[in-house]
Amino acid sequence: MIIRLQTAAGRDIPNAQDTEISTYERNWGAELPHAHPDADVFPGMSPTYNCHGLTFASRRTKITDPDAIARILMDDRYDQIDRREARPGDVIIYSRDGEPTHSGIVVENEPDLFVPWIWSKWGNGPEVLHKYHDVHPVYGTDHRFLRCRL
Amino acid sequence: MSLFTQAELSDLAGGFTVANVPISLWYWLDGHPAVRRVADLVSEDRVLDEFGALIRRAERSETILAECYALLTAIIAKRRRAGRIGPPPVDLGTLRWGEPIWARARRDERSTGTALITAPPPRLILDEG
């Protein structure tokens, strides 16, 4: 099912949802706390939305097209900020060669250390609260923090 | 017999599971040492045979799907090194993220292509005055 999802400028964002979680994914999700002991892995998994769906679509759907993320960032006026300025509600975009691979929401920035904690969703798996650099290598190491100016 | 070890297959399946979008999976696979090894050492025909055998299997586990994407990425890497990615040699419709990955690879090919521009040799003017 495609839900109506638009940027502030009225441009459509393609999206879709899945309906199933496999046994493998459940087992993998159960192992995540061991693989990332510093992170908080929340119970429950959902095939309905992905990381971008959590960050930009209120958990309603999956957004997988990198061009769609670029449209959202442009139309919804996201500006890059320094990591030290990041505060709850800002977002982080992980990328490779400028293409968004993962996203999440800043929930806290440790005072003095400037290590933002991120709320993000990993695949069909659980939502995870993690330090900004504590992610699976599939998401790459490049990242930038952004603030919505709308 | 798979072109990957059990440990490699397990790692590939983990990456496939955590990937949120096709691009993250492709970039990661493109830099994965096991995929690079296959791209370096195995012929495209052999990779295609393996891909075909996997895709015909009724079972579609994460491990099998991850292996298919890894083989697809190896084919792209081989083609890129040969100078042209060209049309896909397999039915990409059999993989959900096959089309966007191949399209992205081809877009990269176009955007990173080089044009050789040669300047004319400087004219040598001798002053015989």
Side-chain angles (χ1 to χ4, degrees), chain A residues 78-82 85 143-147 149:
Chain A
Y78 279 88
D79 289 342
Q80 187 164 349
I81 55 171
D82 190 272
E85 298 172 34
H143 59 266
R144 57 199 168 116
F145 290 90
L146 302 149
R147 180 169 297 157
R149 302 292 187 186

Side-chain angles (χ1 to χ4, degrees), chain A residues 18 22 24-25 28 50-52 64 96-97 99 101-102 121 123 136-139, chain B residues 10 13-15 17-25 27-28 62-63 96 104 107:
Chain A
D18 289 325
S22 69
Y24 179 94
E25 286 172 321
W28 165 80
N50 64 354
C51 61
H52 300 319
T64 57
R96 287 190 187 239
D97 283 357
E99 300 260 14
T101 55
H102 185 51
K121 185 168 190 292
H136 190 281
V138 86
Y139 300 140
Chain B
S10 175
T17 305
V18 79
N20 278 314
V21 294
I23 297 305
S24 60
L25 177 65
Y27 274 116
W28 180 69
E62 277 75 4
T63 306
R96 184 184 197 183
R104 184 64 185 79
R107 204 168 82 191

Side-chain angles (χ1 to χ4, degrees), chain A residues 59-70:
Chain A
R59 297 192 176 101
R60 290 173 293 164
T61 191
K62 286 184 172 177
I63 305 168
T64 57
D65 179 5
D67 293 339
I69 302 304

Side-chain angles (χ1 to χ4, degrees), chain B residues 102-119:
Chain B
W102 197 273
R104 184 64 185 79
R106 293 205 70 176
R107 204 168 82 191
D108 257 7
E109 178 183 45
R110 283 193 292 274
S111 62
T112 57
T114 53
L116 184 63
I117 301 171
T118 51

Side-chain angles (χ1 to χ4, degrees), chain B residues 14-106:
Chain B
F16 170 71
T17 305
V18 79
N20 278 314
V21 294
I23 297 305
S24 60
L25 177 65
W26 178 57
Y27 274 116
W28 180 69
L29 289 173
D30 197 37
H32 198 287
V35 176
R36 292 199 165 194
R37 189 194 68 240
V38 169
D40 286 342
L41 303 177
V42 184
S43 71
E44 181 169 325
D45 284 347
R46 174 83 171 85
V47 177
L48 285 171
D49 285 348
E50 197 67 27
F51 182 92
L54 284 170
I55 215 72
R56 282 193 296 274
R57 288 172 65 166
E59 180 196 4
R60 285 293 186 95
S61 68
E62 277 75 4
T63 306
I64 288 174
L65 287 171
E67 192 174 357
C68 287
Y69 281 110
L71 293 172
L72 188 70
T73 304
I75 292 168
I76 290 171
K78 290 182 80 67
R79 295 270 185 103
R80 201 167 46 205
R81 278 177 217 163
R84 184 168 178 269
I85 293 174
V90 296
D91 177 11
L92 295 178
T94 54
L95 289 174
R96 184 184 197 183
W97 287 353
E99 292 278 2
I101 285 176
W102 197 273
R104 184 64 185 79
R106 293 205 70 176

